[in-house]
Amino acid sequence: MAILTVNNQPIEIKLESDTPLLWALRDAANLTGSKYGCGTGECGACMVIVDGQAMPSCTLSLGEAEGRTVTTIEGLSADRNHPVQQAFVAEQAIQCGFCTPGLVMAAAALLAHNTDPTEADIRAAITNICRCGVYPRLVRTIQRAGRIARGLEPGVPLPVPATATTPGL
């Protein structure tokens, strides 16, 4: 059993402490945005932000996450207005979408510390693997997100996701 804060909510997860955080999030918390890719922390499909740092959730145990603050793609922005989300859509930096949550989370963690990253900063921070090859657009996307975050460029309005509380559903 572990108690941690996930997407600004304290939660208690009743799983073995050696359970990878990825499976605790997906199976116990029903937060399925983080994807299983390699299981070794190399691909970045399972990236989450832990105490302000992008981390692969497949290599971090639930016990290691106890008492920490975790943000998943679901908790990044309830209304999809985060600058990284807006920039990914505006720059069409999404292909199949499997790696996208991990890329968004890695970029969000970078921009939380540096809203004006150089190309070298971005290449050093974003080590995720994308089998579709969106790499040529990533630098442009993340720099655009930084401009949005700094208020130098307007964001792209995105539709609010439908929820069970949305009228008419």
Side-chain angles (χ1 to χ4, degrees):
M1 177 179 71
I3 298 172
L4 56 153
T5 301
V6 177
N7 299 334
N8 297 317
Q9 298 293 318
I11 65 168
E12 181 179 327
I13 298 178
K14 295 179 181 177
L15 293 173
E16 296 294 324
S17 64
D18 63 348
T19 302
L21 179 61
L22 172 64
W23 299 120
L25 293 170
R26 290 181 63 81
D27 296 344
N30 199 31
L31 296 169
T32 58
S34 300
K35 307 297 185 220
Y36 176 80
C38 66
T40 61
E42 299 294 321
C43 73
C46 66
M47 199 70 67
V48 295
I49 298 174
V50 180
D51 294 336
Q53 299 295 319
M55 300 180 89
S57 61
C58 71
T59 59
L60 184 68
S61 73
L62 182 58
E64 292 169 317
E66 185 163 12
R68 299 175 84 176
T69 299
V70 177
T71 304
T72 69
I73 189 72
E74 293 91 347
L76 189 61
S77 172
D79 60 0
R80 298 181 182 162
N81 71 351
H82 191 280
V84 175
Q85 292 168 310
Q86 293 179 355
F88 263 77
V89 171
E91 293 292 336
Q92 299 179 18
I94 301 168
Q95 292 281 325
C96 78
F98 189 83
C99 69
T100 305
L103 284 166
V104 168
M105 297 310 288
L110 169 63
L111 291 177
H113 299 289
N114 178 4
T115 59
D116 194 13
T118 64
E119 182 174 341
D121 294 334
I122 294 168
R123 292 189 188 279
I126 311 300
T127 59
N128 303 51
I129 295 172
C130 172
R131 294 193 61 157
C132 297
V134 299
Y135 304 115
R137 289 175 271 184
L138 279 180
V139 170
R140 187 173 65 237
T141 298
I142 295 169
Q143 288 177 331
R144 183 175 190 163
R147 290 191 304 274
I148 294 169
R150 293 190 315 273
L152 300 176
E153 185 172 319
V156 177
L158 302 176
V160 175
T163 64
T165 59
T166 302
L169 290 182

